[in-house]
C-alpha cells in the first residue's frame, strides 16, 4: 500500500488533532449503533497517540474492549469527482470505521495501514463525520495472541476478567498513527513494486506499476538525488538500467526516485507518484551476511515504539532523537521488535542508511499451560496461521520498496520444540518467500533447547537467538557468560550451517544505581555483562550480529520483575545514556576484531 503523498496530482488532508473519545465500558456501543449520531459523553483525545497513559483514570488505562473515536472534517468542493479515501496507518488492534454513519472499513491487526474509498459517502463542500471503534482484545486468533481469563471464585468480583498477554511490553491501544484523507484521480496509480540490485557498475531496476480505474498509459523515470533523469520507460512494468549506479549502503544512504505518471486518452496526466528506493543487494552464506557483496555485521539495539504519555503514538521528535542516538552510539541496524514500526521510521532509516530487520507482530506464541500444546485448534491454530499469512502480506505490501529492510523476521520467541512448530513456521516462511524472494527470512527464538529440537530453524536463512546468561539463568554470574556463549552457540551453527545473530542480550539496570564489584541492576553490571557477551561473540566466526536488549527502558505490564517497566535500556525512557551506552559507543566505534 502506497504511503499518502502530496504532489501536483494528489492531495492529503491530515486528520491529526484532538478527537472525541469515549470508552465503551459496558460494550454496548456496537449494539446501540453509536456511529449513527455524534458520540455523547466524550472526552478529548489526541490522534496519533495511545490513549492509555493520558488520563488519571486507571480504568481507562487498563480498559479491555472497545473505545470510540470521532471527529468531523470538511471535504473541499474541489474534491468532487475525485477518488477520496480515508487511511488509517494503525489501529491497535482491531477497528471498524464509519463515515457519516455508514461502515467503510474493518481491519484486524494493529501496526499496519488500511484504507477505504469514501468518494460516494462524503458530502462535498460540507462537514462530515468519521467514527472509529478500536478494540484491544487479544485472542489466540490475533497477532500478537493473548486470551481473556475470567474468574469464577470468591477472590474476584462476579464476571471479573483480565487480558492475559505473553509478551513483555504494555498493550498500548488506540489510533497511534496518523489518519489522513487523500484525494486522487479516479484513474490512479495503486501500487509500485521495485526490486533493485546491481551488476558491476549498473543498477538493475525491475519495476511494476499497477493502476485502478480507466485504462491509463504509464510512463516512468528514475531520478537521482539531484533530480537528474538516469533512466526512463513508457511501460507499466519492465527493467531499467542505471549506469554508474550509486549504491545504497549501510550508513551511506543513496536514494533514487522512481516517478510514475498515468496519462489518459485525452493526453491529460491524471496521476503521479514518486517512490524512493535504493539499489543494494543482500545475500547470505553459511557464515556471513552480505550487503552489496560486503560482509555486514549487525550492531545495534532492539527497540520499541514507546514513550512517556504517548505510548506508541507517532512522534517525529522522538524518532529523530532516537536515530541521532543510534548514530551516536555507533549502531548500524535494529530490529523492529516486536511489530511493524511506523512508515515514517522506515523512511528515516532509508534516508540515514540504518539497516532494519522488519518483524511481524507474532510475539508470545506459546501455550499458557505447559501440559497443553501451543500449536493446536485451541491455541495457535489454522485460524492464527491464516491471519499470520495475511499480516505478512500486508507487511510486505507496505514495506517492500524500503532499501533499509534487509530481512523479514516472521516472529519472536515462539515455542519451537513441538513437532507442529516446524509445520507452522515452515508455512509462514514459505508465504514470506513467495511474497518476496529477494530478502532473507529469520525467526527469533529464545528457548534454551537443543538445535535438533528447534523445528522452525530448518526453514530460515539466518538464526536469531536471544540469550540472557547471568540474568534469567545463573543470575549474578558474569564469569560464566563467555564460556556459555561459546559452548552453547557452537552446536547451533554445526547443526544448521547458518549464520547467527544474537538478537537480544541484556540486563535490567536502574539509571544511577552503582555497585563495584558489579551487582545486578547496577550500571556497572550492565556494562560488565555486555562486555562478557562480546568476548564470546568475538570468538565465533558465524556470529554476524549483536543487538542489545534494549535501546531504551520501556513500559510493560505490571509484574514482580518489572520496576515501572523493563529497565534493560542502554538509554532511559527519556533517552539519557546509562554507562552501557558509553561502553557500546566505544566498542562500536572501533574496528571489529574476531579472535578466530
Ligand atoms: C525477551 C523478549 C523481550 C523481553 C526480554 C526481557 O526474550 O523477546 O520482549 O522484553 O526478553 O527483558 O525479558
Amino acid at each position: 500500500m502506497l504511503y499518502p503523498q502530496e504532489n501536483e496530482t494528489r492531495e492529503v488532508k491530515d486528520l491529526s488533532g484532538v478527537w472525541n473519545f469515549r470508552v465503551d465500558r459496558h460494550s454496548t456501543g456496537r449494539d446501540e449503533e453509536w456511529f449513527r449520531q455524534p458520540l455523547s459523553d466524550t472526552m478529548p483525545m489526541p490522534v496519533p497517540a495511545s490513549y492509555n497513559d493520558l488520563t488519571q483514570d486507571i480504568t481507562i488505562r487498563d480498559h479491555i474492549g472497545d473505545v470510540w473515536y470521532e471527529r468531523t472534517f470538511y471535504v473541499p468542493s474541489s474534491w468532487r469527482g475525485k477518488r477520496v479515501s480515508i487511511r488509517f496507518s494503525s489501529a491497535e488492534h482491531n477497528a471498524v470505521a464509519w463515515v457519516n454513519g455508514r461502515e467503510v472499513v474493518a481491519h484486524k491487526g494493529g501496526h499496519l495501514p488500511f484504507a477505504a474509498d469514501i468518494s460516494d459517502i462524503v458530502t462535498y463542500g460540507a462537514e462530515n463525520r468519521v467514527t472509529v471503534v478500536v478494540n484491544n482484545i487479544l485472542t489466540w486468533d490475533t497477532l500478537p495472541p493473548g486470551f481473556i481469563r475470567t474468574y469464577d471464585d470468591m477472590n474476584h468480583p462476579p464476571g471479573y476478567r483480565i487480558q492475559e498477554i505473553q509478551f513483555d511490553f504494555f498493550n498500548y491501544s488506540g489510533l497511534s498513527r496518523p489518519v489522513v484523507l487523500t484525494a486522487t484521480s479516479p484513474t490512479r496509480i495503486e501500487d509500485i513494486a521495485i526490486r533493485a540490485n546491481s551488476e558491476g557498475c549498473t543498477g538493475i531496476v525491475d519495476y511494476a506499476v499497477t493502476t485502478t480505474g480507466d485504462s491509463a498509459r504509464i510512463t516512468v523515470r528514475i531520478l537521482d538525488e539531484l533530480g537528474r533523469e538516469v533512466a526512463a520507460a513508457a511501460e507499466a512494468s519492465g527493467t531499467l538500467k542505471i549506469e554508474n549506479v550509486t549504491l545504497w549502503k549501510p550508513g551511506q544512504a543513496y536514494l533514487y526516485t522512481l516517478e510514475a505518471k498515468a496519462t489518459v486518452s485525452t493526453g491529460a496526466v491524471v496521476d503521479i507518484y514518486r517512490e524512493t528506493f535504493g539499489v543494494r543487494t543482500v545475500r547470505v552464506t553459511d557464515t556471513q551476511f552480505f550487503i552489496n557483496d560486503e560482509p555486514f555485521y549487525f550492531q545495534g539495539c532492539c527497540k520499541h515504539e514507546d514513550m512517556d504519555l504517548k505510548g506508541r503514538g507517532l512522534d517525529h521528535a522522538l524518532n529523530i532523537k532516537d536515530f541521532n542516538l543510534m548514530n551516536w552510539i555507533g549502531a548500524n541496524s535494529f530490529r523492529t521488535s516486536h511489530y511493524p514500526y511506523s512508515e515514517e521510521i522506515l523512511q528515516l532509516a532509508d534516508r540515514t542508511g540504518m539497516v532494519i530487520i522488519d518483524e511481524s507482530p507474532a510475539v508470545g506464541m506459546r501455550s499458557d499451560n505447559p501440559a497443553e500444546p501451543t500449536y493446536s485448534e485451541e491455541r495457535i491454530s489454522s485460524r492464527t496461521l491464516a491471519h499470520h499469512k495475511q499480516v505478512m502480506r500486508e507487511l510486505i505490501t507496505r514495506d517492500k520498496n524500503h532499501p533499509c529492510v534487509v530481512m523479514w523476521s516472521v516472529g519472536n520467541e515462539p515455542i519451537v520444540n513441538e513437532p507442529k512448530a516446524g509445520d507452522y513456521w515452515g508455512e509462514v516462511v514459505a508465504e514470506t518467500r513467495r511474497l518476496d524472494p529477494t530478502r532473507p527470512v529469520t525467526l527469533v527464538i529464545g528457548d534454551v533447547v537443543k538445535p535438533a529440537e528447534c523445528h522452525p530453524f530448518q526453514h530460515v536463512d539466518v538464526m536469531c537467538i536471544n540469550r540472557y546468561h547471568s540474568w534469567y539463568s545463573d543470575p549474578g554470574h558474569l564469569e560464566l557468560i563467555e564460556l556459555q556463549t561459546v559452548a552453547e552457540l557452537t552446536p547451533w551453527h554445526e547443526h544448521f550451517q547458518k549464520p547467527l545473530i544474537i538478537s537480544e542480550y541484556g540486563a535490567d539496570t536502574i539509571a544511577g544505581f552503582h555497585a563495584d564489584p558489579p551487582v545486578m541492576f547496577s550500571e556497572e553490571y550492565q556494562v560488565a555483562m555486555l562486555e562478557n557477551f562480546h568476548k564470546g561473540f568475538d570468538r565465533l566466526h558465524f556470529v554476524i550480529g549483536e543487538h542489545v536488549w534494549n535501546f531504551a527502558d520501556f513500559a510493560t505490564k505490571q509484574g514482580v520483575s518489572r520496576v515501572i517497566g523493563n529497565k534493560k535500556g542502554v538509554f532511559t525512557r527519556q533517552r539519557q545514556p546509562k554507562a552501557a551506552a558509553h561502553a557500546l559507543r566505544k566498542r562500536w566505534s572501533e574496528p571489529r576484531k574476531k579472535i578466530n
Side-chain angles (χ1 to χ4, degrees):
M1 179 183 282
L2 293 174
Y3 187 74
Q5 182 172 95
E6 216 164 9
N7 63 31
E8 55 273 54
T9 60
R10 293 178 165 239
E11 288 180 70
V12 177
K13 201 171 159 139
D14 189 356
L15 297 185
S16 298
V18 178
W19 291 45
N20 298 325
F21 178 82
R22 180 168 173 184
V23 177
D24 195 347
R25 294 190 187 274
H26 307 291
S27 302
T28 50
R30 295 188 200 228
D31 288 344
E32 291 171 9
E33 302 189 329
W34 286 2
F35 49 85
R36 292 217 177 274
Q37 307 292 332
L39 291 176
S40 56
D41 300 326
T42 62
M43 65 173 76
M45 193 58 73
V47 173
S50 307
Y51 62 78
N52 309 77
D53 290 345
L54 293 177
T55 74
Q56 290 306 96
D57 187 341
I58 195 171
T59 66
I60 294 182
R61 185 192 69 193
D62 297 338
H63 176 68
I64 304 169
D66 286 344
V67 297
W68 292 72
Y69 285 87
E70 170 205 77
R71 68 162 280 169
T72 54
F73 57 92
Y74 276 81
V75 180
S77 315
S78 59
W79 284 13
R80 207 172 262 122
K82 298 205 180 228
R83 199 234 194 202
V84 179
S85 294
I86 188 161
R87 186 190 198 267
F88 301 84
S89 295
S90 169
E92 286 154 294
H93 297 280
N94 296 315
V96 183
W98 295 262
V99 170
N100 299 335
R102 279 176 59 187
E103 181 175 330
V104 294
V105 67
H107 186 257
K108 177 177 174 184
H111 322 286
L112 289 165
F114 53 98
D117 180 350
I118 54 171
S119 318
D120 297 335
I121 293 175
V122 291
T123 313
Y124 294 86
E127 192 176 76
N128 294 271
R129 189 179 74 250
V130 55
T131 316
V132 192
V133 62
V134 183
N135 184 284
N136 65 356
I137 293 183
L138 297 172
T139 70
W140 288 108
D141 297 349
T142 61
L143 290 190
F147 61 96
I148 300 288
R149 189 186 294 282
T150 43
Y151 291 83
D152 182 16
D153 60 28
M154 303 213 2
N155 297 325
H156 300 86
Y160 188 78
R161 57 181 199 156
I162 57 167
Q163 169 75 65
E164 291 279 14
I165 53 175
Q166 305 193 98
F167 52 84
D168 182 37
F169 49 93
F170 192 85
N171 187 25
Y172 281 118
S173 347
L175 295 176
S176 51
R177 297 183 191 154
V179 181
V180 299
L181 296 178
T182 61
T184 56
S185 156
T187 299
R188 67 190 180 281
I189 295 161
E190 192 66 34
D191 196 18
I192 300 178
I194 302 171
R195 287 180 185 165
N197 54 38
S198 62
E199 278 172 20
C201 299
T202 308
I204 314 287
V205 184
D206 294 328
Y207 71 94
V209 181
T210 41
T211 49
T212 312
D214 294 340
S215 74
R217 194 165 62 81
I218 297 295
T219 52
V220 301
R221 321 196 279 151
I222 295 179
L223 308 170
D224 69 10
E225 283 197 345
L226 296 173
R228 294 176 305 208
E229 183 178 305
V230 293
E235 285 90 39
S237 62
T239 302
L240 285 169
K241 291 191 173 168
I242 306 174
E243 299 303 337
N244 296 319
V245 69
T246 306
L247 299 177
W248 187 96
K249 294 183 178 170
Q252 259 178 281
Y254 191 94
L255 294 175
Y256 289 95
T257 301
L258 186 138
E259 178 189 85
K261 274 190 189 170
T263 310
V264 289
S265 52
T266 59
V269 174
V270 291
D271 196 13
I272 300 180
Y273 196 91
R274 298 186 179 91
E275 179 77 332
T276 52
F277 67 96
V279 180
R280 55 120 189 81
T281 54
V282 175
R283 185 165 62 85
V284 177
T285 68
D286 56 347
T287 55
Q288 282 185 303
F289 194 100
F290 289 89
I291 300 182
N292 300 325
D293 287 327
E294 284 177 27
F296 181 72
Y297 188 84
F298 292 79
Q299 59 191 35
C301 311
C302 291
K303 291 189 88 261
H304 267 298
E305 289 180 314
D306 173 272
M307 192 26 133
D308 285 335
L309 306 181
K310 285 187 161 191
R312 258 200 287 282
L314 174 72
D315 182 339
H316 295 295
L318 174 68
N319 292 342
I320 298 288
K321 179 71 175 174
D322 281 4
F323 271 77
N324 285 335
L325 287 175
M326 283 187 283
N327 189 35
W328 177 80
I329 205 176
N332 61 14
S333 54
F334 66 89
R335 170 166 63 110
T336 67
S337 44
H338 294 307
Y339 38 80
Y341 289 2
S342 72
E343 291 153 291
E344 292 79 1
I345 289 179
L346 294 187
Q347 288 163 4
L348 280 177
D350 279 349
R351 190 172 159 180
T352 56
M354 185 65 67
V355 170
I356 303 290
I357 301 173
D358 203 354
E359 186 155 282
S360 90
V363 52
M365 313 273 272
R366 31 204 326 118
S367 175
D368 51 306
N369 177 352
E372 303 267 348
T374 301
Y375 303 92
S376 68
E377 282 310 292
E378 283 71 52
R379 294 190 176 81
I380 302 299
S381 67
S382 52
R383 294 178 306 279
T384 326
L385 178 61
H387 179 53
H388 201 154
K389 289 182 182 174
Q390 172 64 17
V391 167
M392 293 315 298
R393 276 193 283 279
E394 291 180 27
L395 174 65
I396 293 171
T397 303
R398 191 193 74 159
D399 292 350
K400 60 184 178 297
N401 295 336
H402 287 284
C404 63
V405 176
V406 299
M407 183 153 64
W408 305 111
S409 164
V410 289
N412 181 73
E413 293 195 350
I415 291 282
V416 291
N417 58 356
E418 291 176 21
K420 284 190 178 162
D423 302 336
Y424 183 95
W425 294 98
E427 285 213 35
V428 176
V429 171
E431 178 67 359
T432 306
R433 288 193 201 290
R434 190 185 67 75
L435 295 161
D436 180 9
T438 71
R439 289 179 176 90
V441 182
T442 190
L443 168 71
V444 179
I445 72 152
D447 285 352
V448 180
V449 294
K450 293 203 169 58
E453 293 163 2
C454 177
H455 302 297
F457 265 7
Q458 59 187 302
H459 302 293
V460 302
D461 300 295
V462 172
M463 302 183 281
C464 278
I465 299 188
N466 301 340
R467 284 295 177 259
Y468 287 92
H469 304 313
S470 91
W471 194 259
Y472 293 124
S473 57
D474 302 304
H477 289 280
L478 293 164
E479 70 282 4
L480 296 176
I481 298 173
E482 181 183 346
L483 175 145
Q484 291 184 346
T485 300
V486 173
E488 201 242 345
L489 295 184
T490 303
W492 285 90
H493 183 255
E494 282 168 1
H495 186 83
F496 287 106
Q497 295 295 314
K498 295 177 183 181
L500 191 155
I501 297 174
I502 304 300
S503 36
E504 291 181 23
Y505 61 113
D508 283 271
T509 305
I510 314 293
F513 275 28
H514 291 286
D516 190 4
V519 171
M520 291 173 79
F521 296 98
S522 69
E523 297 203 30
E524 288 76 4
Y525 194 91
Q526 190 181 30
V527 170
M529 170 192 262
L530 299 181
E531 284 176 354
N532 281 300
F533 265 106
H534 297 155
K535 284 183 198 157
F537 302 161
D538 289 346
R539 289 172 53 188
L540 299 170
H541 68 290
F542 54 83
V543 168
I544 57 160
E546 54 196 52
H547 278 171
V548 175
W549 191 262
N550 188 287
F551 173 74
D553 296 346
F554 58 92
T556 62
K557 70 177 179 192
Q558 297 181 63
V560 289
S561 65
R562 295 290 174 257
V563 189
I564 312 193
N566 187 309
K567 292 286 189 275
K568 294 195 186 69
V570 298
F571 294 96
T572 64
R573 201 180 190 203
Q574 292 71 37
R575 278 35 183 186
Q576 295 307 321
K578 301 180 190 172
H582 293 281
L584 288 172
R585 182 167 189 245
K586 183 164 182 305
R587 170 173 169 85
W588 291 342
S589 60
E590 287 168 0
R592 221 167 41 80
K593 298 182 212 80
K594 284 269 184 197
I595 291 173
N596 58 16

